[in-house]
Amino acid sequence: METKGSRSPAMTDVARLAGVSHQTVSRVLNDHPNVKEQTRLRVRAAIAELNYRPNRAARALVTGRSQLIGVVARNSMLYGPASMLTEFEQAAADAGFAVSVGSVRELDRDSISAVVERHLDQRVAGLVVIAQVASATEALAEIPADVPVVFIDGDPAAGRSLVTVDQVAGARAAVRHLLEAGHETVWHVSGPTEWFDSAGRIQGWRQTLQEAGREVPPLLSADWSAAEGYRAGQMLARMPEVTAIFAANDHLALGVLRALHERGRRVPHDVSVVGFDDVPEASYFIPPLTTVRQSFGDVARAALTLLLGQLKDETGAAETVIVPAQLVVRESVAPPA
């Protein structure tokens, strides 16, 4: 604890204790490569001994950027977007960055432009955009080219660095699992078709059925809610030919399970169901839900790595990182009766 009249240690104090110039201390703080490892360790030891904390405001004035990352995201309580944001905040904190979140109700041009301008006024180090729909990609096309930016779940054709889960492969794994259980075909309750994630899952479902020479049933388009899953499930439960359902997320699957139960269609004895996301409650559904897990932590860390690479001028061209999805087998799939 500081006593009255004492002051916080300054960079010059660190330099004096370490026996180096204040410029060398600055280079160590900014991870400059042209510092000998022995010198770097000596400076770090002095920082720890003095409990020195860099003046981030002054550092931003020197470097032109702060230790702050701006995130553009839709205001959503959906499991996927909310989990992605939480994981990214943690990954950024582990790397010594704070996160400023700019939430918008709709991913339209005016809303996104206002958030981006606010972030740039804060002199953020870079931007991460959780862009689930095409309208967001279009609105972000006007971000200055010299601003480091990484998209999560964006459009691969946008020409910006992108990190996304392999939605197509995840859907293919789900449908293949149902076909291998002996079902003739698989019905799909999709999310909103304008979402990139939903479009990828539709593509994977359709491709797998076509490659297996199976009939592709009509698509049942919904939103991401259990209520919409219930509505679709009520229709499917009345159709005796339906023996396998792939729901685009676990909340849709929950609604489907409720509708099947009310109609007397047993899961998995009469109908098999697979979801997507692996929400924490999925293993407590009745029956425990077979689903596809997305690693939001891996996506967040990959996005941060790409952004830090841009900050260090190590990555000139746009890069795309595809994170694999994992099928989690539980008790909601069985051979058809």
Side-chain angles (χ1 to χ4, degrees), residues 185-189 205 217-218 220 236 239 241-247:
T185 192
V186 178
W187 292 71
H188 183 39
V189 182
W205 161 72
L220 279 74
L236 293 171
M239 303 166 62
E241 68 270 25
V242 174
T243 65
I245 300 170
F246 167 44

Side-chain angles (χ1 to χ4, degrees), residues 79-80 83 87 165 167 170 174 201 246-254 274-285 287-296 325-332:
Y79 174 73
S83 298
E87 290 286 354
V165 172
Q167 307 293 340
R201 293 168 202 176
F246 167 44
N249 77 350
D250 293 345
H251 290 100
L252 287 169
L254 178 62
V274 175
F276 206 109
D277 276 346
D278 194 26
V279 299
E281 302 83 5
S283 60
Y284 298 95
F285 287 9
L289 184 67
T290 292
T291 185
V292 178
R293 177 179 298 155
Q294 303 190 76
S295 178
F296 298 113
Q326 176 190 359
L327 180 70
V328 179
V329 178
R330 294 195 178 102
E331 301 173 27
S332 61

Side-chain angles (χ1 to χ4, degrees), residues 88-107:
F88 184 80
E89 287 179 312
Q90 183 59 58
D94 291 343
F97 285 83
V99 172
S100 173
V101 180
S103 297
V104 294
R105 291 184 179 179
E106 297 296 333
L107 292 169

Side-chain angles (χ1 to χ4, degrees), residues 223-283:
D223 59 20
W224 297 113
S225 69
E228 281 289 286
Y230 177 72
R231 178 191 62 78
Q234 285 180 308
M235 185 181 74
L236 293 171
R238 298 188 184 98
M239 303 166 62
E241 68 270 25
V242 174
T243 65
I245 300 170
F246 167 44
N249 77 350
D250 293 345
H251 290 100
L252 287 169
L254 178 62
V256 168
L257 291 173
R258 169 69 183 270
L260 292 170
H261 172 76
E262 290 182 349
R263 194 73 180 181
R265 305 287 301 276
R266 298 170 300 167
V267 177
H269 304 88
D270 301 318
V271 182
S272 291
V273 178
V274 175
F276 206 109
D277 276 346
D278 194 26
V279 299
E281 302 83 5
S283 60

Side-chain angles (χ1 to χ4, degrees), residues 34-329:
N34 295 334
V35 179
K36 292 181 179 179
E37 187 60 25
Q38 185 178 4
T39 303
R40 190 184 303 275
L41 292 174
R42 198 162 68 245
V43 171
R44 290 293 183 193
I47 289 171
E49 182 176 338
L50 294 173
N51 196 26
Y52 170 68
R53 294 291 180 268
N55 186 327
R56 297 190 183 279
R59 192 173 174 186
L61 290 174
V62 173
T63 63
R65 291 197 177 102
S66 65
Q67 294 293 104
L68 182 66
I69 295 173
V71 173
V72 181
R74 192 174 194 170
N75 189 6
S76 174
M77 294 303 294
L78 290 172
Y79 174 73
S83 298
M84 189 75 71
L85 183 56
T86 298
E87 290 286 354
F88 184 80
E89 287 179 312
Q90 183 59 58
D94 291 343
F97 285 83
V99 172
S100 173
V101 180
S103 297
V104 294
R105 291 184 179 179
E106 297 296 333
L107 292 169
D108 58 79
R109 182 178 296 274
D110 290 342
S111 300
I112 290 177
S113 295
V115 170
V116 169
E117 282 299 317
R118 188 160 65 247
H119 281 323
L120 295 180
D121 287 343
Q122 293 176 309
R123 304 179 72 87
V124 295
L127 295 173
V128 169
V129 183
I130 303 175
Q132 303 103 334
V133 297
S135 60
T137 305
E138 295 163 2
L140 290 158
E142 297 176 3
I143 294 178
D146 62 340
V147 175
V149 61
V150 174
F151 285 79
I152 293 177
D153 291 341
D155 183 359
R160 298 277 195 168
S161 290
L162 168 70
V163 182
T164 186
V165 172
D166 196 336
Q167 307 293 340
V168 175
R172 289 174 68 89
V175 175
R176 191 163 51 244
H177 182 65
L178 289 164
L179 295 181
E180 290 172 352
H183 297 276
E184 286 299 315
T185 192
V186 178
W187 292 71
H188 183 39
V189 182
S190 80
T193 54
E194 67 270 18
W195 284 54
F196 293 115
D197 288 359
S198 182
R201 293 168 202 176
I202 293 170
Q203 180 184 343
W205 161 72
R206 183 174 287 121
Q207 283 180 350
T208 306
L209 291 178
Q210 291 173 339
E211 290 170 4
R214 308 299 177 88
E215 177 185 355
V216 179
L219 177 70
L220 279 74
S221 181
D223 59 20
W224 297 113
S225 69
E228 281 289 286
Y230 177 72
R231 178 191 62 78
Q234 285 180 308
M235 185 181 74
L236 293 171
R238 298 188 184 98
M239 303 166 62
E241 68 270 25
V242 174
T243 65
I245 300 170
F246 167 44
N249 77 350
D250 293 345
H251 290 100
L252 287 169
L254 178 62
V256 168
L257 291 173
R258 169 69 183 270
L260 292 170
H261 172 76
E262 290 182 349
R263 194 73 180 181
R265 305 287 301 276
R266 298 170 300 167
V267 177
H269 304 88
D270 301 318
V271 182
S272 291
V273 178
V274 175
F276 206 109
D277 276 346
D278 194 26
V279 299
E281 302 83 5
S283 60
Y284 298 95
F285 287 9
I286 301 177
L289 184 67
T290 292
T291 185
V292 178
R293 177 179 298 155
Q294 303 190 76
S295 178
F296 298 113
D298 287 349
V299 172
R301 287 184 289 273
L304 183 63
T305 297
L306 288 184
L307 188 65
L308 295 182
Q310 292 182 31
L311 293 175
K312 295 178 181 178
D313 293 325
E314 293 176 357
T315 52
E319 295 184 59
T320 297
V321 176
I322 307 296
V323 176
Q326 176 190 359
L327 180 70
V328 179
V329 178

